[in-house]
Amino acid sequence: MGQKIAVIGLGSMGYGIAQSCLRAGHKVFGADVRAEAVERFQSEGGQSGALADHLGNIDTAVLVVLNAQQTEAVLFGEDGIAPKMKAGALVVGCATVPPACATHLAQRCGELGLHYLDAPISGGSIKAAAGQLGIMASGTPGAFDAAEPMLTACAETVFRLGDSAGMGSAMKAVNQLLAGVHIATMAEAMNFGLSQGIAPGTFLEVISKCAGSSWMLENRAPHIVAGDYTPHSQVNIWPKDLGIVGEIAQASGVETPIAETALAQYRRAVDMGLGHEDDAAVIKVYAKAAGLVLPGEDA
Amino acid sequence: MGQKIAVIGLGSMGYGIAQSCLRAGHKVFGADVRAEAVERFQSEGGQSGALADHLGNIDTAVLVVLNAQQTEAVLFGEDGIAPKMKAGALVVGCATVPPACATHLAQRCGELGLHYLDAPISGGSIKAAAGQLGIMASGTPGAFDAAEPMLTACAETVFRLGDSAGMGSAMKAVNQLLAGVHIATMAEAMNFGLSQGIAPGTFLEVISKCAGSSWMLENRAPHIVAGDYTPHSQVNIWPKDLGIVGEIAQASGVETPIAETALAQYRRAVDMGLGHEDDAAVIKVYAKAAGLVLPGEDA
């Protein structure tokens, strides 16, 4: 029997999650500050009407918003949804947040009789739409039981990382440290190669088959080769996520000098006005400093 | 018909290249400063006797030594082999060297009537032994023709990067920038995760399936999980290879801040006495600074 699932945040990841839940036979309410996203989702089979009218009946609320502040506001802010949900319902937090924030949200949900699954996601918008995400999850056995329908609909792989919220977010921070550094390093290496006469297309062809390759290199380098910075994932993500890494590292007395250096490059990209471009655009920081011309640019 | 091939430098990569040439039916002379490596190779089918007596007859000399200085010394130093080789013979340079060095060596070989193939290698000792290396090659069409038997014996993939020496070494520098950063970032992220209660084995299991993965992470993280720092590739490689990257970058007016930060971590590892351990041991720099205990260490 299908569930009633609300997906809050219909961005590139949330929209795919909502579609995957629909395809699995659930009744899905899509919510977003952008009315056009909500209308588009309703036209594709989503439930109509205001989410507020149905909050007391939904089984699962999946939060796919930008950060910790938005997650907290959706749940407990003015018009927060948590106090209106029925006891035993489930909140799934997918945003990248500090582990301590996930722990705190789980505790406040628990006080209202709600389950909370700390469930950051990995895989990108195409995998989200295909129901093939990797989900780094932690929470009580009850939260995992309640999440079974949503996880089955959306995930190719569910990593069960522990019995309490926080471990999922910790693993996501680890993944973001690597992913953020790998994108910036791909840009650094491609620009370095360009200065030696190696065309971006040749770089991609050779390095993707060599020991210098990474998941992110294979995924993002083609954007630079094509000169196409349509934002599948924005530069703006990285000052946020590598900022979270830095906060955790500082609080834990751990050094992360490489992540800090990559963070500085993303901040330079934001300062250049590239925040809303695809994150591969961090290469423009390097190319501008070196006076090099990238594919798609005028010489 | 088999060739006469000399392989100079029977380390983990050179030994595998020599074995692969033997398996392909060539007569192979192995040379190394370590007599035991030479004897072992002779016992496995290599030619006996002193290389010096055969230099006038060999078709191809493959140099798999540590760096530019050693490559130059083998070719043109006291007792250098280049002046004793026959006209039309081939020198294959496999060490990671600055592109300008490869250009210079090719020119000096050309003056002696020798072909020179700029041919840095990628893939590790297991692929070297299996004849499945990736070779980033550049040189004249004549050099490529002369190298056909050796390349067929040793390479799974030959990247033809241009008609003159230097481009192969430039691509290798690009690869080493990425590979060196990826190993250090893997260590940084694993140590960061450890501080949050994520065991190295869990890190490897999850991240190798997520967007934060890299070729080097999948290859080196298992060493840390096993607490086994047997040097498949030494820490000492990275101050050298990232140093070459830095020299090229400076000469070309290109910024490489992430590579510089990784280089600093490897230098700290060398200062801790870890130079001859496997390069995954760079994690000990991080763990020591944070007071964390790695697998295989006493708490």
Side-chain angles (χ1 to χ4, degrees):
Chain A
M1 198 183 81
Q3 283 203 324
K4 287 187 179 167
I5 299 179
V7 177
I8 322 277
L10 296 173
S12 60
M13 301 299 286
Y15 204 94
I17 287 173
Q19 287 175 308
S20 296
C21 290
L22 260 189
R23 208 166 43 238
H26 303 295
K27 290 185 177 170
V28 186
F29 297 85
D32 198 284
V33 289
R34 294 165 305 135
E36 69 274 19
V38 175
E39 284 161 19
R40 181 181 151 213
F41 183 66
Q42 288 181 352
S43 76
E44 293 184 5
Q47 298 291 305
S48 58
L51 174 62
D53 301 334
H54 301 276
L55 274 176
N57 288 320
I58 62 169
D59 303 293
T60 300
V62 187
L63 276 60
V64 201
V65 292
L66 188 64
N67 55 25
Q69 288 78 351
Q70 289 187 7
T71 302
E72 187 148 1
V74 167
L75 288 172
F76 301 108
E78 197 178 347
D79 286 327
I81 66 170
K84 295 166 193 154
M85 289 172 69
K86 66 183 176 190
L90 167 73
V91 171
V92 180
C94 293
T96 300
V97 304
C101 166
T103 306
H104 180 65
L105 291 171
Q107 184 186 341
R108 290 187 69 183
C109 283
E111 289 164 4
L112 295 172
L114 303 174
H115 295 294
Y116 185 90
L117 192 71
D118 179 24
I121 53 187
S122 173
S125 55
I126 293 169
K127 292 223 166 194
Q132 294 176 342
L133 288 170
I135 303 192
M136 304 172 192
S138 70
T140 61
F144 271 107
D145 286 347
E148 186 66 33
M150 176 269 175
L151 294 174
T152 302
C154 299
E156 183 174 73
T157 313
V158 177
F159 301 103
R160 287 190 71 138
L161 297 168
D163 285 347
S164 59
M167 293 305 288
S169 288
M171 186 64 88
K172 180 66 190 284
V174 169
N175 186 69
Q176 296 307 86
L177 187 167
L178 288 154
V181 169
H182 291 170
I183 293 168
T185 306
M186 175 276 290
E188 181 167 309
M190 193 183 266
N191 181 71
F192 173 82
L194 194 56
S195 78
Q196 303 305 303
I198 296 170
T202 307
F203 168 99
L204 176 58
E205 184 195 337
V206 175
I207 298 296
S208 65
K209 299 192 188 92
C210 290
S213 195
S214 69
W215 194 100
M216 278 298 180
L217 185 148
E218 293 180 42
N219 191 268
R220 301 299 208 273
H223 303 173
I224 299 172
V225 172
D228 181 356
Y229 299 92
T230 306
H232 298 285
S233 181
Q234 294 184 5
V235 168
N236 276 333
I237 294 290
W238 295 109
K240 175 180 79 72
D241 284 10
L242 290 178
I244 289 173
V245 167
E247 284 171 32
I248 299 170
Q250 192 165 21
S252 307
V254 171
E255 296 179 356
T256 52
I258 301 177
E260 283 172 27
T261 307
L263 171 57
Q265 296 300 91
Y266 289 113
R267 285 186 174 148
R268 287 170 72 186
V270 171
D271 290 344
M272 279 173 63
L274 304 171
H276 292 284
E277 293 196 15
D278 188 80
D279 50 24
V282 71
I283 195 172
K284 296 181 183 180
V285 173
Y286 289 95
K288 187 181 179 195
L292 293 171
V293 178
L294 296 168
E297 293 180 349
D298 291 328
Chain B
M1 198 182 79
Q3 282 203 323
K4 288 187 180 167
I5 298 179
V7 177
I8 321 278
L10 296 173
S12 60
M13 301 298 286
Y15 204 94
I17 286 173
Q19 287 176 309
S20 297
C21 288
L22 260 189
R23 209 167 41 238
H26 303 295
K27 290 184 178 171
V28 185
F29 298 84
D32 198 285
V33 289
R34 296 165 304 135
E36 69 274 19
V38 175
E39 285 161 19
R40 181 180 151 212
F41 182 65
Q42 288 181 352
S43 77
E44 293 184 5
Q47 298 292 303
S48 57
L51 173 62
D53 301 334
H54 301 276
L55 273 177
N57 289 318
I58 62 169
D59 303 295
T60 300
V62 187
L63 276 60
V64 201
V65 293
L66 188 63
N67 55 25
Q69 287 80 350
Q70 289 187 6
T71 302
E72 186 147 2
V74 167
L75 288 173
F76 301 107
E78 197 179 346
D79 287 327
I81 66 170
K84 296 165 192 153
M85 290 173 68
K86 67 183 177 190
L90 167 72
V91 171
V92 180
C94 294
T96 300
V97 304
C101 166
T103 306
H104 182 64
L105 291 171
Q107 184 186 341
R108 291 187 69 182
C109 284
E111 290 164 3
L112 295 172
L114 302 174
H115 296 293
Y116 185 91
L117 192 71
D118 179 25
I121 51 187
S122 173
S125 55
I126 293 169
K127 293 223 164 193
Q132 296 176 342
L133 287 169
I135 303 193
M136 304 172 193
S138 70
T140 62
F144 272 106
D145 286 348
E148 185 67 32
M150 176 270 174
L151 294 173
T152 301
C154 299
E156 184 175 74
T157 311
V158 177
F159 302 103
R160 288 190 71 137
L161 296 167
D163 285 348
S164 60
M167 293 306 287
S169 288
M171 186 65 87
K172 181 66 190 284
V174 169
N175 187 69
Q176 296 306 85
L177 188 167
L178 288 154
V181 169
H182 290 171
I183 293 168
T185 307
M186 175 274 290
E188 181 168 309
M190 194 184 266
N191 181 72
F192 173 81
L194 194 55
S195 79
Q196 304 304 304
I198 297 170
T202 307
F203 168 99
L204 176 58
E205 185 195 337
V206 175
I207 298 296
S208 64
K209 299 193 189 93
C210 289
S213 195
S214 69
W215 194 100
M216 278 297 180
L217 185 148
E218 292 179 44
N219 191 268
R220 299 300 207 274
H223 303 173
I224 300 172
V225 172
D228 181 356
Y229 298 93
T230 306
H232 298 285
S233 181
Q234 295 184 5
V235 167
N236 277 333
I237 294 290
W238 295 109
K240 176 179 79 71
D241 284 10
L242 291 177
I244 289 173
V245 167
E247 284 171 32
I248 299 170
Q250 193 166 19
S252 308
V254 171
E255 297 179 355
T256 52
I258 301 176
E260 283 172 29
T261 307
L263 172 56
Q265 296 301 90
Y266 289 113
R267 285 185 173 148
R268 287 171 72 186
V270 171
D271 289 344
M272 280 173 63
L274 305 171
H276 292 285
E277 293 196 15
D278 188 80
D279 51 24
V282 70
I283 194 173
K284 296 181 183 179
V285 173
Y286 289 94
K288 187 182 179 194
L292 294 170
V293 179
L294 296 168
E297 292 180 348
D298 290 329

